[in-house]
């Protein structure tokens, strides 16, 4: 095989984004999603959106912005934009030590408390649920914890994500091997049915979860989520700037019932944000509790 | 038959062997033609590879070049696509990958590049509880330094040290002296004739230079006990040595005294080792973020941990009483504009980018951290020299790595 001429290759595959176009798109994305595109990601944004520009046959980022804001094209284009700027690394039973901590404290305490009050109604919110691995994991843990007595409970795991494609995949509930890289075999065998096209999550697990498009920067949408006893938001806020982090943590605070719990990703911390949450450290990780 | 990675499958290809689904039955039979529907199911199954009919040599030159470009450009997403330096590096890397494929190397697909999960790791500190200061204080309180380090520091700190003092200290440590001799005898080092003793090296290279290199070598041992499953130390030091070799070669090319740059390159990532030791889980999260989302590792650290390995190195080297000039280079190699001598820090920055670029056609690849145009221009390095430097590096790096790790 002849060697091609490498000297003709170019690194620029997308139109150049001007300073003003970059600021315009960055601010737009921030307003829409709370995700802040830092200057270091400028070329990345160029190449991600450049692909879309080519598909659309649009020459400049300014024209692309016009499509993002035009009432006729806005909705479809936003969906596509969200896919281009978010990542979806997740798996079932990710961070098992933290999940054990969740089970021993926030979950157990909530169950005990609700039982004594005779109100067997538990709401959990999985914020930034990606393709559904986390909310389904929570539902499985509920089955493992409550066992047969789960029949007497009204449980709702509200699961939201920014990306319509992810919500679609989550609702479908069929997963390939990659989603099980952190999952004990026992759990997979118990709660999934192998099919030719992947593992299908058991309908009883699916029944507990409600998936919806939820944008964490959309306050009215968040207000509609029923008050939660526990909120999970793992590996989501790293994409936000401090302002947005504060706002999101505040809306979690507002959504939680007094005494409710917030669980973040293992290496995420809201220490520096100055919140009213009480920080509780246990083996396996940290959780935050809203004062009674 | 080709074992094609799912991301490279195209409609019209034909499946060459039955593909068994999770339920033990054939999801697809041999001979099935791939269409969009089949493709979607195959993607959903997360199979690493799919057997399809045809053979490797049947892949057209054009298709291969497209695949190579798509693979290599992933690593260049954080660099300025108009930078003459990075365009040149990009072309050279694409050519290296082409050659590697010609030798039978398989281009890894995206899923194969993501780091493994290390679920059992736990951090010594909770984030937010631990400042960079705590991290380093904890580290240095445990430290027992190799004796040679302390003695070398004495030699370096004293203005009256003689060549014989350096030779005596280094020779007393057979591990360090044999590594040092391998190094100065490597062709890239540029000495004529065989150097057979430390004192000979001192007479050719200089007292301070030899002491500085030996100081760098002696610190490697200090980091031996990092869990293997967390980070492959062999790959870590290979990257460090690559960076060291490039730093020396670049320094020579732009007329900067080069031996100190070798040591700076060797230890440029030492802050990372402290992070791996004390924050293993969080470090793995940043590795997963870097590999899985194609982010430069330094950027992933800032996002996941809130600080990066430069800050850790800065405090660590301060506590160790490391020579100031080296400390400044190492603590600013991603931000040379902050360093007192920005040219020296920029040399390590370029060397780090080159070391990452050189590894794209092997197994230890990370996204290039990039470099500002200002830092590149100030360096005055002729881009035509990239080829030559890559050649020199490739010729020596295996031999050097073998001696060090």
């Amino acid at each position: 095989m002849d060697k091609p001429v490498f000297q003709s290759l170019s690194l620029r595959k997308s139109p150049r984004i001007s300073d003003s176009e970059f600021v315009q798109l960055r601010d737009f994305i921030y307003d829409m999603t709370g995700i802040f595109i830092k200057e270091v990601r400028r070329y990345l944004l160029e190449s991600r959106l450049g692909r879309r520009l080519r598909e659309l046959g649009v020459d400049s980022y300014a024209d692309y912005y016009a499509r993002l804001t035009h009432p006729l094209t806005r909705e479809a284009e936003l969906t596509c934009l969200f896919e281009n700027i978010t990542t979806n690394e997740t798996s079932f039973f990710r961070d098992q030590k933290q999940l054990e901590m969740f089970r021993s404290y926030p979950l157990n305490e909530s169950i005990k408390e609700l039982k004594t009050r005779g109100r067997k109604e538990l709401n959990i919110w999985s914020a930034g649920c990606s393709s559904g691995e986390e909310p389904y994991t929570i539902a499985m843990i509920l089955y493992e914890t409550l066992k047969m007595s789960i029949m007497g409970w009204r449980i709702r795991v509200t699961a939201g994500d920014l990306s319509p494609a992810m919500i679609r995949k989550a609702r479908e509930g069929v997963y390939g091997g990659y989603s099980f890289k952190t999952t004990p075999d026992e759990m997979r065998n118990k709660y999934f049915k192998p099919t030719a096209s992947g593992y299908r999550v058991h309908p009883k697990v699916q029944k507990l979860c409600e998936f919806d498009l939820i944008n964490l920067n959309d306050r009215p949408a968040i207000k509609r989520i029923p008050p939660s006893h526990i909120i999970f938001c793992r590996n989501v806020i790293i994409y936000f700037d401090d302002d947005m982090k504060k706002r999101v943590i505040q809306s979690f605070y507002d959504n939680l019932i007094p005494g409710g719990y917030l669980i973040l990703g293992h290496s995420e911390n809201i220490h520096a944000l100055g919140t009213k949450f009480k920080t509780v450290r246990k083996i396996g990780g940290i959780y935050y509790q809203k004062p009674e | 038959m080709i074992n094609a990675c799912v991301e490279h499958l195209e409609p019209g290809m034909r499946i060459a062997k039955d593909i068994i689904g999770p339920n033990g039955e054939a999801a697809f039979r041999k001979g099935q033609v791939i269409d969009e529907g089949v493709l979607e199911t195959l993607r959903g199954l997360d199979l690493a590879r799919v057997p399809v009919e045809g053979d490797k040599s049947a892949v057209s030159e054009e298709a291969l070049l497209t695949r190579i470009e798509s693979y290599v450009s992933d690593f260049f997403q954080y660099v300025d696509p108009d930078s003459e330096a990075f365009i040149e590096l990009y072309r050279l890397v694409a050519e290296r990958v082409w050659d590697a494929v010609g030798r039978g190397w398989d281009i890894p697909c995206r899923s194969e590049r993501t780091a493994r999960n290390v679920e059992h790791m736990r951090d010594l500190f909770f984030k937010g509880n631990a400042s960079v200061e705590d991290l380093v204080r904890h580290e240095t309180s445990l430290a027992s330094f190799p004796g040679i380090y302390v003695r070398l520091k004495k030699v370096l700190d004293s203005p009256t040290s003689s060549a014989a003092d350096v030779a005596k200290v280094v020779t007393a440590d057979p591990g360090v002296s044999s590594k040092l001799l391998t190094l100065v005898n490597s062709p890239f080092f540029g000495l004529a004739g065989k150097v057979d003793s430390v004192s000979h090296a001192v007479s050719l290279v200089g007292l301070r230079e030899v002491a500085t290199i030996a100081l760098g070598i002696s610190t490697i041992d200090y980091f031996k006990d990092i869990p293997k499953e967390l980070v492959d130390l062999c790959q870590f030091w290979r990257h460090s040595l690559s960076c060291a070799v490039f730093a020396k070669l670049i320094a020579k090319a732009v007329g900067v005294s080069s031996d100190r740059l070798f040591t700076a390159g060797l230890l440029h990532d030492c802050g990372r080792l402290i992070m791996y030791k004390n924050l293993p889980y969080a470090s793995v999260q940043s590795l997963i973020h870097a590999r899985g989302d194609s982010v430069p590792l330094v950027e992933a650290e800032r996002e996941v941990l809130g600080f990066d390995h430069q800050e850790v190195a800065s405090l660590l080297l301060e506590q160790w009483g490391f020579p100031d000039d080296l400390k400044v280079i190492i603590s600013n190699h991603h931000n040379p504009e902050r360093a007192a001598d920005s040219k020296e820090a920029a040399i390590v920055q370029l060397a780090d980018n080159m070391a990452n670029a050189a590894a794209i056609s092997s197994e230890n690849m990370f996204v290039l951290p990039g470099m500002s145009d200002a830092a590149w221009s100030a360096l005055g390095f002729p881009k035509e020299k990239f080829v030559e430097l890559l050649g020199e590096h490739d010729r020596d790096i295996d031999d050097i790595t073998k001696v060090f790790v």
Side-chain angles (χ1 to χ4, degrees):
Chain A
M1 206 155 39
D2 284 337
K3 207 162 161 175
V5 187
F6 288 93
Q7 279 310 308
S8 62
L9 295 184
S10 108
L11 200 44
R12 174 165 288 294
K13 312 281 185 211
S14 311
R16 186 203 304 264
I17 193 165
S18 71
D19 286 351
S20 61
E21 286 172 328
F22 176 70
V23 170
Q24 188 177 46
L25 275 169
R26 182 196 66 193
D27 293 350
F28 179 76
I29 291 169
Y30 182 66
D31 289 342
M32 294 308 297
T33 65
I35 295 171
F36 186 75
I37 312 279
K38 287 190 277 184
E39 184 66 32
V40 292
R41 288 200 158 75
R42 182 187 184 120
Y43 308 121
L44 184 71
L45 187 74
E46 231 173 34
S47 81
R48 291 267 177 95
L49 298 185
R51 225 177 303 155
R52 184 65 187 153
L53 260 61
R54 276 195 297 283
E55 280 168 22
L56 293 169
V58 163
D59 297 329
S60 75
Y61 297 89
D63 291 349
Y64 175 68
Y65 178 77
R67 285 186 76 95
L68 275 172
T69 46
H70 192 282
L72 282 179
T73 45
R74 179 186 164 96
E75 202 165 322
E77 212 45 63
L78 274 179
T79 303
C80 195
L81 176 72
F82 293 164
E83 317 276 287
N84 269 322
I85 56 171
T86 52
T87 47
N88 304 295
E89 165 73 31
T90 177
S91 54
F92 291 106
F93 290 88
R94 181 176 183 181
D95 198 348
Q96 287 185 52
K97 294 234 165 91
Q98 194 188 28
L99 292 171
E100 277 161 33
M101 182 276 297
F102 152 70
R103 192 172 157 174
S104 330
Y105 300 98
L107 183 59
N108 258 338
E109 298 294 318
S110 301
I111 290 173
K112 234 189 327 191
E113 163 83 16
L114 289 167
K115 265 190 189 161
T116 39
R117 284 201 281 133
R119 288 198 55 142
K120 294 188 177 176
E121 215 184 305
L122 178 65
N123 288 329
I124 299 178
W125 174 16
S126 161
C129 69
S130 188
S131 41
E133 283 87 339
E134 178 178 271
Y136 286 141
T137 299
I138 295 169
M140 288 179 246
I141 292 174
L142 289 169
Y143 274 101
E144 289 295 300
T145 308
L146 292 166
K147 305 216 163 63
M148 289 301 279
S149 76
I150 201 166
M151 308 283 278
W153 284 78
R154 279 181 58 184
I155 290 170
R156 173 178 161 145
V157 180
T158 304
D161 199 83
L162 192 61
S163 154
M166 287 300 119
I167 293 297
R168 217 177 306 127
K169 179 155 199 277
R171 283 190 181 135
E172 201 186 314
V174 179
Y175 296 91
Y178 198 62
S179 295
F180 295 95
K181 61 183 185 292
T182 56
T183 315
D185 286 348
E186 190 200 342
M187 291 295 111
R188 189 178 67 186
N189 295 338
K190 202 162 164 186
Y191 294 104
F192 292 85
K193 188 172 173 249
T195 71
S197 58
Y199 294 88
R200 176 174 291 285
V201 67
H202 197 288
K204 72 176 184 186
V205 173
Q206 222 163 359
K207 205 179 65 191
L208 300 187
C209 302
E210 266 187 59
F211 292 96
D212 221 333
L213 274 176
I214 298 172
N215 182 340
L216 290 175
N217 207 25
D218 179 353
R219 284 187 177 201
I222 291 178
K223 290 235 159 71
R224 288 195 292 273
I225 296 168
S228 309
H229 298 88
I230 301 164
I231 297 175
F232 272 81
C233 184
R234 300 192 297 170
N235 309 305
V236 173
I237 63 171
I238 62 165
Y239 299 104
F240 300 152
D241 71 341
D242 279 356
D243 251 12
M244 174 69 184
K245 274 183 195 159
K246 270 187 203 152
R247 261 181 288 146
V248 170
I249 299 298
Q250 183 59 45
S251 53
F252 289 159
Y253 189 90
D254 295 341
N255 173 272
L256 282 171
I257 58 146
Y261 304 91
L262 169 65
I263 294 169
L264 299 173
H266 174 82
S267 50
E268 292 168 317
N269 192 288
I270 54 171
H271 197 69
L273 301 175
T275 70
K276 287 170 268 177
F277 278 107
K278 194 174 94 189
T279 306
V280 185
R281 295 186 172 83
K282 297 284 180 192
I283 293 170
I286 298 178
Y287 62 81
Y288 300 94
Q289 191 171 17
K290 179 170 171 171
E292 294 277 353
Chain B
M1 189 184 79
I2 313 172
N3 268 321
C5 141
V6 178
E7 68 190 82
H8 297 142
L9 292 179
E10 278 162 27
M13 289 178 165
R14 205 181 276 273
I15 289 173
K17 254 164 83 179
D18 286 2
I19 294 173
I20 308 299
N23 60 351
E25 289 167 24
F28 296 106
R29 294 273 178 211
K30 178 179 171 190
Q32 166 86 46
V33 177
I34 296 177
D35 60 20
E36 283 299 336
V38 173
L39 207 51
E40 202 178 319
T41 311
L42 286 172
R43 283 195 196 110
L45 281 170
D46 295 330
L47 301 170
R49 301 268 166 171
V50 174
V52 291
E53 288 176 7
D55 69 281
K56 264 192 194 174
S57 56
V59 176
S60 74
E61 197 174 291
E62 245 169 63
L64 180 59
L65 188 60
T66 310
R67 192 178 296 179
I68 288 174
E69 276 219 77
S70 120
Y71 168 68
V72 176
S73 57
D74 248 13
F75 297 95
F76 283 75
Q77 290 189 18
Y78 280 74
V79 308
D80 182 351
D82 298 322
S83 146
E84 53 162 17
F86 285 105
I87 295 171
E88 181 66 12
L89 262 184
Y90 174 69
R91 290 170 176 163
L92 291 170
V93 171
E95 191 171 355
R96 286 163 73 88
V97 172
W98 177 279
D99 293 341
V101 170
R103 290 193 301 267
W105 185 70
D106 274 331
I107 300 174
C109 57
R110 205 174 276 274
S111 59
E112 288 167 345
R113 274 185 270 150
T114 52
R116 61 223 172 277
N117 238 318
V118 185
E119 284 281 316
H120 60 280
M121 294 286 172
R122 266 301 166 259
D123 295 344
L124 213 53
F125 297 103
F126 288 115
K127 188 196 157 194
N129 261 4
S131 60
V132 181
E133 286 81 6
D134 294 330
L135 201 66
V136 172
R137 197 174 312 124
H138 175 82
E139 185 57 42
T140 43
S141 68
L142 294 176
S144 69
F145 268 119
I148 181 172
Y149 178 88
V150 183
R151 288 190 288 276
L152 275 168
K153 277 250 329 129
K154 238 190 223 155
V155 171
L156 272 167
D157 289 344
S158 156
T160 57
S161 297
S162 68
D165 294 333
V166 177
K168 201 173 120 201
V169 171
V170 177
T171 311
D173 188 315
V176 172
S177 53
S178 77
K179 284 172 188 154
L180 182 98
L181 287 173
T182 308
L183 211 58
V184 296
N185 278 305
S186 302
F188 90 94
F189 215 86
L191 298 179
K194 189 170 161 47
V195 182
D196 46 18
S197 69
V198 178
S199 50
H200 189 188
V202 173
S203 69
L204 290 173
V205 182
L207 171 166
R208 289 197 70 80
E209 287 70 18
V210 168
T212 306
I213 295 169
L215 194 71
I217 297 172
S218 73
T219 47
I220 292 181
D221 267 354
Y222 175 82
F223 294 108
K224 277 190 307 241
D225 55 339
I226 291 181
K228 260 201 200 67
E229 62 273 36
L230 177 64
V231 56
D232 185 337
L233 271 188
C234 201
Q235 290 193 355
F236 178 91
W237 287 114
R238 189 187 165 89
H239 168 76
S240 299
L241 284 162
S242 268
C243 180
V245 169
F246 282 128
K248 181 173 165 69
L249 294 172
I250 297 165
K252 206 155 62 177
V254 299
V256 168
S257 144
S258 60
D259 298 304
R260 184 169 61 215
L261 269 303
F262 178 88
T263 308
L266 182 64
L267 298 179
H268 74 292
D269 277 345
C270 68
R272 252 176 208 150
L273 292 170
I274 303 295
M275 288 154 72
Y276 293 145
K277 265 175 105 166
N278 299 299
L279 296 167
Y281 190 88
S283 301
V284 168
Q285 293 305 316
S286 56
L287 283 166
I288 291 175
H289 182 38
R291 281 257 162 89
D293 303 333
S294 293
V295 181
L297 190 48
V298 61
E299 196 50 36
E301 287 167 0
R302 289 171 187 154
E303 277 161 14
V304 173
L305 295 151
F307 54 82
D308 66 42
H309 62 285
Q310 297 182 108
E311 296 168 58
V312 179
S314 170
L315 274 171
L316 179 77
L317 298 178
E318 177 75 45
Q319 306 242 342
W320 280 2
F322 224 68
D324 246 7
D325 46 358
L326 277 169
K327 191 188 80 191
V328 171
I329 303 174
I330 293 168
S331 328
N332 295 293
H333 68 277
H334 289 293
N335 306 83
E337 71 285 354
R338 292 194 311 221
D341 186 336
S342 57
K343 196 168 180 179
E344 294 195 324
I347 289 173
V348 176
Q349 183 177 37
L350 179 60
D352 183 27
N353 275 290
M354 288 188 74
N356 278 303
I360 292 174
S361 50
S362 62
E363 73 301 319
N364 184 29
M365 53 292 201
F366 278 103
V367 173
L368 267 60
M371 176 172 198
S372 76
D373 232 28
W376 163 254
S377 310
L379 209 51
F381 179 80
K383 72 174 178 12
E384 296 70 31
K385 282 214 150 198
F386 276 139
V387 188
E388 190 188 318
L389 263 56
L390 279 165
E392 287 192 57
H393 163 269
D394 291 357
R395 186 193 52 209
D396 297 348
I397 189 69
D398 284 343
D399 292 339
I400 303 175
T401 309
K402 246 180 261 155
V403 181
F404 273 78
V405 280

